Amino acid sequence: MKPLYNLVTKIAEKALPLAGRFNPKLKLFIEGRKSVFAKLEAEIDPASDYLWFHAASLGEFEQALPIIEEVKNEFSKYKILITFFSPSGYENKKNHPLADVITYLPLDTPNNAKRFLELVNPKIAFFIKYEIWPNFLTELNKRNIKSILVSGAFRENQVYFKAYGGFMRKALSNFDHFFVQNEASMNLLQSIGLNNITLSGDTRFDRVSRQIQYNNTLNFAEEFINNKTCLVAGSTWPEDEEILFPFINKTSAEIKIIIAPHEIKEEKIKALEQKIKKRSIRYSNIENQDLANFDVLILDTIGLLGKVYSYANIAYVGGAAGNTGLHNILEPATFGIPIIIGENYKNFPEAIRLRQLAGLFSVENSLEFSEVTEKLIANKKYREKTGMISGHFINSNTGATKTVIKYLRSLPGFS
């Protein structure tokens, strides 16, 4: 299996530049990797020790961030290298102040892994959640560099637990330690003979719990909401909008609605505007406007959603109405508000658990969404009680970062 994996990776390395001509995101994926080794040669200080954090994209970066912050505080002698697999992660975080070097991860070929580690020679490598790259892990093991999986999440249908998954099981065995989100993940790893595991929980809870301590003030949001009930619909896709718009266009409730679509391309925003019959305005057009006169505000920008949730009385989180994947429900939950999502959430344990606790509602269609939302608007006590469950859910699941830091303190020679 290993020769086949390496062959496929090598073919991909040669073929992707051609495919990138027809796909802007893929083009970024290719172009960004062309300069990885030159960037490392220029920016890595051979006299310094590095801790390497690898995240697939933005969500995984948010999981790494609490650990990076604590490491910077407690183990300040180490420099921080962050790598991303996807353009959406790298392009949004390439100038993040907590890192000393930020770059793409080269494709997982044996030569790339050797060259990368020769340049970086990290003290420890941290991989986040699902990032399992066999050649990098093998090379780290050969060089006696510790590798740790943080906030790991495993499911029974993954290749590691299939009869034909020997190659990927061997890749997993290179990790020095696993910090996993839940007991099911721990049991699955133990079923294939891996016992170097700590049930830590998910560092995302630590990340979102800190948001409430920051300054979340947004003057435009206060002016727009104007002391009315506010529904924030975050990270929406067209499938979510089909659920939302019948309510938005027909409700007689005095409610303000903020929509943060997942894609903010001009054609997507125009299509969104055409579906809205209420008075709407884009964030990019709010200057010199009396925002209190509008019913719907469209966030055609990035980076504000976390703070905007602090103004919500009800949150709808997108991704589960279709098959794109549920977005982060923990961001609004930390502010103690009820959360509504679509029906496709079976691969998201935090959504399953929060629904069991009655802090989250799953709806199949626009009618169900309208019924749930109208009840939450009309019954303030019910709304606040449901939101309290969400807030408690966050607070009762923090602590994963402390568990990882405690492990680091115990490592010989690491200080």
Side-chain angles (χ1 to χ4, degrees):
M1 181 62 76
K2 184 176 181 180
L4 178 60
Y5 174 85
N6 288 335
L7 175 63
V8 170
T9 307
K10 199 69 180 175
I11 291 172
E13 193 174 41
K14 299 295 184 184
L16 283 173
L18 178 62
R21 296 178 185 178
F22 309 99
N23 185 307
K25 188 173 181 180
L26 192 55
K27 185 177 181 181
L28 281 174
F29 181 95
I30 301 303
E31 293 297 321
R33 283 171 166 76
K34 287 182 179 179
S35 59
V36 167
F37 292 114
K39 183 178 175 71
L40 292 173
E41 287 171 355
E43 297 185 14
I44 290 290
D45 177 7
S48 298
D49 288 328
Y50 285 82
L51 300 180
W52 169 31
F53 291 83
H54 175 64
S57 192
L58 283 172
E60 290 76 15
F61 173 78
E62 292 296 326
Q63 288 176 295
L65 203 52
I67 298 173
I68 296 171
E69 289 173 341
E70 290 300 318
V71 162
K72 293 285 282 187
N73 288 332
E74 187 163 340
F75 308 106
S76 57
K77 77 173 187 179
Y78 294 102
K79 291 191 173 183
I80 302 295
L81 165 68
I82 298 174
T83 59
F84 287 97
F85 183 77
S86 80
S88 58
Y90 177 78
E91 293 299 327
N92 281 291
K93 299 297 179 181
K94 60 186 176 184
N95 296 312
H96 199 280
L98 281 180
D100 297 283
V101 183
I102 302 177
T103 185
Y104 281 98
L105 182 74
L107 290 180
D108 186 37
T109 67
N111 287 338
N112 283 346
K114 289 175 184 177
R115 189 177 177 188
F116 181 92
L117 292 174
E118 282 170 4
L119 288 168
V120 177
N121 191 31
K123 182 77 172 178
I124 301 177
F126 299 82
F127 293 79
I128 313 300
K129 196 175 181 179
Y130 294 134
E131 288 298 277
I132 316 294
W133 295 108
N135 286 313
F136 276 97
L137 288 167
T138 299
E139 193 62 27
L140 284 163
N141 188 293
K142 286 180 181 178
R143 294 168 185 260
N144 292 315
I145 299 171
K146 284 192 176 297
S147 56
I148 298 169
L149 187 71
V150 175
S151 293
F154 294 91
R155 298 189 302 273
E156 194 173 358
N157 63 354
Q158 289 174 309
V159 64
Y160 317 108
F161 313 109
K162 303 294 185 182
Y164 52 81
F167 171 64
M168 291 304 292
R169 282 195 292 275
K170 188 173 181 181
L172 279 183
S173 70
N174 286 301
F175 277 108
D176 288 273
H177 205 84
F178 298 88
F179 291 92
V180 296
Q181 295 185 24
N182 49 51
E183 194 169 334
S185 295
M186 183 170 68
N187 292 339
L188 283 168
L189 290 175
Q190 289 174 336
S191 74
I192 57 173
L194 298 173
N195 295 295
N196 47 335
I197 311 163
T198 298
L199 177 57
S200 62
D202 188 346
T203 52
R204 284 185 303 163
F205 287 92
D206 299 321
R207 172 62 177 155
V208 298
S209 70
R210 297 179 185 187
Q211 184 66 41
I212 205 166
Q213 302 167 11
Y214 301 151
N215 180 2
N216 293 300
T217 302
L218 295 169
N219 292 333
F220 76 87
E222 292 180 5
E223 182 184 344
F224 169 73
I225 294 167
N226 195 28
N227 297 314
K228 293 183 172 64
T229 303
C230 178
L231 165 69
V232 173
S235 304
T236 59
W237 293 82
E239 298 93 337
D240 300 296
E241 290 149 15
E242 291 301 314
I243 286 176
L244 292 167
F245 285 132
F247 167 80
I248 291 172
N249 291 329
K250 295 177 182 178
T251 184
S252 59
E254 281 201 20
I255 184 169
K256 293 298 188 97
I257 298 163
I258 301 176
I259 302 175
H262 179 72
E263 293 186 300
I264 56 172
K265 297 175 183 176
E266 177 61 22
E267 64 271 20
K268 301 288 186 181
I269 299 297
K270 280 185 177 179
L272 195 62
E273 289 175 316
Q274 290 171 1
K275 296 176 183 178
I276 299 171
K277 296 177 181 178
K278 298 285 182 74
R279 293 167 298 180
S280 68
I281 187 169
R282 301 185 189 194
Y283 172 79
S284 58
N285 293 333
I286 64 175
E287 192 172 349
N288 300 320
Q289 296 287 335
D290 185 352
L291 296 181
N293 289 331
F294 294 90
D295 302 303
V296 180
L297 173 61
I298 301 170
L299 290 184
D300 56 341
T301 186
I302 60 173
L304 293 178
L305 183 57
K307 289 187 174 185
V308 167
Y309 277 134
S310 72
Y311 289 90
N313 301 103
I314 305 165
Y316 177 92
V317 179
N323 296 306
T324 52
L326 178 63
H327 289 274
N328 191 349
I329 66 166
L330 304 184
E331 279 189 326
T334 197
F335 293 107
I337 53 178
I339 297 164
I340 308 171
I341 63 172
E343 61 179 323
N344 301 315
Y345 63 96
K346 66 178 181 179
N347 291 329
F348 297 86
E350 67 276 15
I352 293 170
R353 183 59 182 145
L354 189 52
R355 190 185 183 198
Q356 291 170 342
L357 294 170
L360 175 145
F361 304 89
S362 171
V363 297
E364 294 185 14
N365 51 51
S366 60
L367 179 60
E368 288 187 7
F369 173 78
S370 295
E371 289 175 349
V372 169
T373 306
E374 293 285 3
K375 183 177 180 180
L376 289 168
I377 293 169
N379 191 332
K380 184 179 179 182
K381 286 186 178 180
Y382 175 63
R383 184 173 73 234
E384 290 177 346
K385 181 181 178 181
T386 307
M388 194 181 298
I389 294 170
S390 292
H392 180 70
F393 176 65
I394 297 296
N395 294 331
S396 62
N397 282 284
T398 57
T401 301
K402 288 182 180 178
T403 302
V404 175
I405 296 299
K406 183 179 179 182
Y407 169 84
L408 295 178
R409 290 191 196 116
S410 73
L411 295 177
F414 187 84
S415 61

